[in-house]
Amino acid sequence: MKNLLIQAAKRTGLVNVEQLTSLLDQNAGQGRLDEALLNCPYFTEDVVLKLFAESLGWEYFPEIPEKSVPSEFIQSVPPTYAQHHFLIGVKSEDSNGELTVVLSRPLDTNVLDNVSKMTGMPVRPAVATRAAITAVIDVAYEQRNTVIEEVAEELDSQNLDQLVDEVSASDDLLDVVNRPPVIRLVNDILFRALQLRASDIHVHPYETKIQIRYRIDGILYDVLTLNRNVLPLITSRIKVMAGMDIAERRMPQDGRSSVRLGQREVDLRVSTVPTSFGERSVLRLLDKSTGVLALEELGLWPEDLKKLDSLLHRAHGVIFVTGPTGSGKSTSLYAYLNRINSAEKNVLTIEDPIEYQLEGISQIQVANKKGMTFATSLRHVLRQDPDVIMVGEVRDIETARMAIQSSLTGHLVFSTLHTNDSAGAVSRLLDLGVEPYLVSSSLIAIIAQRLVRRVCPDCKRPMAPAPHELRDLGLEEYKDATFFVGEGCSRCFQTGYRGRTGIYEVMLINEAIQEMIYRQETAGQIKRLAVQAGMQTLRMDGARKVLAGITTLPEVLRVTQADVS
């Protein structure tokens, strides 16, 4: 092997031959050559693996196509085995019934024999880096089919006593081997939710059944019906995962947990409440691997993006993001902070809860039970010499007044409000009891937003809209334009939609609007003036995205209300 490696180094020039020879001489009789070279600081992993591939006549994979992993490998080789040994099976068209096993440790010959026995197929070796193998393991095993219905049938009452002993801090949902049925069932429910991009899982008990529902792109779908008898098992398992009291069934409880899907870490926020037919559970899924969206990915129209970008570089003032729960306000705030995050600015956030960790930003978790409210946190944050402050939500007069006064003392402040449109945020602040002169002098912009579902690109087709839909959206003059709808396919869960984007109403506070706020004019009057000044309302922005083929007429009409005339 030593001679083969030196000859390959001479042929290819991949590594310094003298360094290689010296290292091989030092390692003589000390251990496996592949481990010695891979742990050597002089050579990179990909160079060492290319050298072995050249020496042994094997194929080197710079990257592995996701669709090349055969179902026989996925069904036969447990994901934990593949992850532990950093290997994956691929099948090419000229394989002649052979399975190519891609390794990250070329001389780990035992695993080749084991994979051959597990799959019942002849194998041939190849090599790739750990990163390339890990990436394809996660994707390949995510595509496997869950068998929730079969697992549910295995459940019986004796499993309830085993629950506490079986829990681990962060379960890998791909690991289903030798698990008790209840754990496999809950893992499969979570696994299928992540496959379908669900944001929430509802376990809803009825008199004779349990309904498992997923919220996908903001809409709830019934995906599974289970026998009523397994409710205590599922609820107890969920409670154990979230660190809740499994003996307490008459009071609402909250908890949190995290699970892994291969290399992806997913946070769970769990809530249970007692109902007339048993405990109802809702699990919010937060996939940390998705990261924070960039400002350009939010779906802002180019001119709105330009306006917002200039606002983010202002030295002081308050920017409110408004909309109902689940309209993407937190996602937008994180994108704003990501854009202005720099070494020159001290950025602090006060959140409940902290959803994503942002590099270079100090994030503070609100703890109401300990007296750490938004208002008290904000008071202390002001002593930390901040340039930019993000307050998760303005819920009361004290927080509102402090946020506004912070902006008047030279800070840029972001926060959220629950109102239907941008002008409604002004009325809300005045209703809370904030003085009109404070509101008019501190506000620089209010951004209202909603989320609309995108047309599925795989089953997108032209359609003729109904006349009343065009009229409601103010698009009568565009009746000859091409409108799109999704027919429904396996990629979009037969809904015709896949993914979501935002529609926005960016109201800049100019002098005329400041004057109206000071005079306490109505939200309707303020909105009319803003529209005259060029503001696009939520419905107008939705109409632009319909014409661009991004979403559909019914979707925009579903999430927006008619504009004031």
Side-chain angles (χ1 to χ4, degrees):
M1 189 72 244
K2 174 183 169 182
N3 291 333
L4 286 173
L5 287 168
I6 292 170
Q7 288 167 16
K10 287 177 179 175
R11 279 198 311 274
T12 60
L14 282 166
V15 297
N16 183 295
V17 177
E18 290 178 8
Q19 270 187 334
L20 178 66
T21 307
S22 171
L23 192 70
L24 292 173
D25 288 341
Q26 288 172 26
N27 192 65
Q30 298 293 316
R32 280 194 358 216
L33 288 179
D34 57 346
E35 290 180 350
L37 291 178
L38 286 164
N39 293 328
C40 166
Y42 309 128
F43 311 135
T44 60
E45 183 187 19
D46 61 325
V47 165
V48 170
L49 293 173
K50 284 175 184 173
L51 191 65
F52 271 99
E54 175 70 25
S55 306
L56 299 166
W58 295 355
E59 187 176 357
Y60 171 80
F61 285 83
E63 57 183 38
I64 304 165
E66 295 163 4
K67 294 181 180 175
S68 64
V69 182
S71 57
E72 297 96 320
F73 182 88
I74 295 168
Q75 300 299 335
S76 307
V77 179
T80 44
Y81 188 84
Q83 287 168 335
H84 180 71
H85 292 285
F86 291 98
L87 61 88
I88 193 72
V90 298
K91 207 168 185 180
S92 54
E93 291 177 5
D94 61 342
S95 62
N96 299 320
E98 271 189 325
L99 177 72
T100 300
V101 179
V102 187
L103 307 165
S104 66
R105 292 288 179 271
L107 303 183
D108 203 353
T109 51
N110 288 339
V111 299
L112 291 172
D113 296 335
N114 291 340
V115 171
S116 181
K117 287 173 187 172
M118 289 178 196
T119 58
M121 299 170 71
V123 298
R124 64 179 177 199
V127 288
T129 63
R130 281 187 174 204
I133 293 170
T134 301
V136 83
I137 284 174
D138 290 352
V139 175
Y141 280 94
E142 277 182 46
Q143 303 308 316
R144 70 176 170 85
N145 293 320
T146 55
V147 284
I148 296 179
E149 293 83 355
E150 291 177 24
V151 179
E153 288 174 12
E154 292 179 40
L155 281 173
D156 55 53
S157 57
Q158 68 183 20
N159 296 114
L160 191 55
D161 300 327
Q162 302 169 8
L163 282 168
V164 179
D165 300 326
E166 292 293 338
V167 71
S168 64
S170 184
D171 271 347
D172 190 339
L173 301 182
L174 299 179
D175 181 13
V176 294
V177 182
N178 300 323
R179 290 290 201 166
V182 65
I183 293 180
R184 288 164 53 204
L185 176 64
V186 174
N187 280 8
D188 272 356
I189 289 169
L190 287 163
F191 179 84
R192 189 183 285 188
L194 290 166
Q195 276 185 318
L196 296 172
R197 301 173 293 101
S199 60
D200 300 83
I201 303 170
H202 291 234
V203 181
H204 195 160
Y206 292 91
E207 190 174 6
T208 58
K209 64 179 181 180
I210 305 167
Q211 194 69 54
I212 307 293
R213 312 175 81 195
Y214 293 163
R215 189 176 293 280
I216 303 167
D217 293 334
I219 306 294
L220 270 173
Y221 297 97
D222 291 344
V223 292
L224 181 67
T225 302
L226 297 173
N227 191 304
R228 175 77 175 72
N229 297 334
V230 302
L231 178 65
L233 297 172
I234 292 175
T235 306
S236 295
R237 172 58 184 160
I238 290 169
K239 284 181 175 180
V240 169
M241 289 176 72
M244 294 150 73
D245 183 359
I246 64 170
E248 179 56 76
R249 298 192 179 102
R250 293 174 297 176
M251 294 291 290
Q253 292 190 66
D254 293 317
R256 58 189 310 158
S257 176
S258 65
V259 293
R260 284 181 296 111
L261 184 59
Q263 299 300 307
R264 286 163 64 189
E265 190 82 16
V266 181
D267 270 356
L268 304 179
R269 294 205 198 100
V270 182
S271 169
T272 63
V273 294
T275 70
S276 53
F277 297 119
E279 283 185 283
R280 192 182 196 281
S281 306
V282 175
L283 295 81
R284 166 66 56 91
L285 308 177
L286 185 69
D287 190 347
K288 289 183 173 179
S289 66
T290 55
V292 178
L293 293 181
L295 201 61
E296 295 78 11
E297 297 175 295
L298 295 179
L300 285 153
W301 210 251
E303 59 256 38
D304 286 338
L305 182 61
K306 196 173 177 182
K307 285 180 198 171
L308 187 55
D309 214 7
S310 65
L311 289 172
L312 297 179
H313 293 92
R314 296 275 285 268
H316 56 84
V318 181
I319 299 173
F320 277 111
V321 181
T322 79
T325 303
S327 58
K329 299 188 296 295
S330 297
T331 302
S332 292
L333 286 174
Y334 278 121
Y336 303 164
L337 292 175
N338 218 27
R339 173 59 67 98
I340 60 174
N341 179 17
S342 69
E344 295 136 19
K345 291 189 178 176
N346 181 20
V347 184
L348 290 103
T349 73
I350 305 164
E351 303 175 57
D352 183 24
I354 296 169
E355 293 186 13
Y356 291 101
Q357 295 293 338
L358 294 172
E359 193 176 341
I361 289 177
S362 299
Q363 296 169 269
I364 298 164
Q365 169 74 55
V366 169
N368 289 322
K369 289 179 182 176
K370 297 176 182 176
M372 188 80 164
T373 63
F374 279 113
T376 54
S377 302
L378 186 50
R379 191 174 293 115
H380 292 289
V381 158
L382 289 170
R383 297 178 194 140
Q384 292 282 317
D385 183 32
D387 295 297
V388 180
I389 305 167
M390 191 265 269
V391 182
E393 187 184 340
V394 167
R395 297 172 180 169
D396 52 51
I397 174 65
E398 191 182 2
T399 312
R401 193 173 275 146
M402 286 199 65
I404 285 170
Q405 286 174 343
S406 302
S407 74
L408 295 174
T409 53
H411 306 96
L412 184 61
V413 180
F414 299 102
S415 192
T416 67
L417 275 172
H418 288 283
T419 63
N420 287 328
D421 60 7
S422 53
V426 175
S427 301
R428 175 87 177 113
L429 288 169
L430 297 176
D431 289 344
L432 280 173
V434 184
E435 292 80 0
Y437 72 89
L438 283 177
V439 178
S440 64
S441 57
S442 61
L443 273 181
I444 56 173
I446 303 169
I447 302 151
Q449 66 178 73
R450 298 288 187 280
L451 292 177
V452 291
R453 293 178 292 170
R454 288 175 172 272
V455 179
C456 175
D458 292 314
C459 58
K460 188 175 182 179
R461 65 168 178 81
M463 56 84 74
H468 71 87
E469 290 178 330
L470 290 172
R471 186 174 61 252
D472 289 346
L473 216 51
L475 293 175
E476 295 102 323
E477 60 189 284
Y478 296 98
K479 61 180 183 293
D480 296 327
T482 306
F483 297 89
F484 292 94
V485 70
E487 284 187 306
C489 63
S490 59
R491 297 291 302 278
C492 64
F493 197 47
Q494 304 301 327
T495 61
Y497 297 98
R498 196 159 96 238
R500 288 188 289 180
T501 190
I503 56 173
Y504 299 89
E505 184 176 287
V506 181
M507 185 169 86
L508 303 180
I509 309 298
N510 56 27
E511 285 185 19
I513 292 174
Q514 280 183 331
E515 182 66 29
M516 293 185 83
I517 295 170
Y518 187 73
R519 295 199 309 267
Q520 299 187 48
E521 302 276 9
T522 65
Q525 290 169 315
I526 292 172
K527 189 168 185 175
R528 271 191 287 272
L529 182 64
V531 170
Q532 288 167 16
M535 181 184 82
Q536 294 286 311
T537 66
L538 286 167
R539 188 160 274 199
M540 291 174 185
D541 192 40
R544 291 192 292 196
K545 290 185 168 80
V546 168
L547 290 171
I550 296 168
T551 188
T552 64
L553 284 157
E555 185 65 8
V556 174
L557 292 171
R558 179 180 70 84
V559 301
T560 62
Q561 57 190 19
D563 293 324
V564 290
S565 55

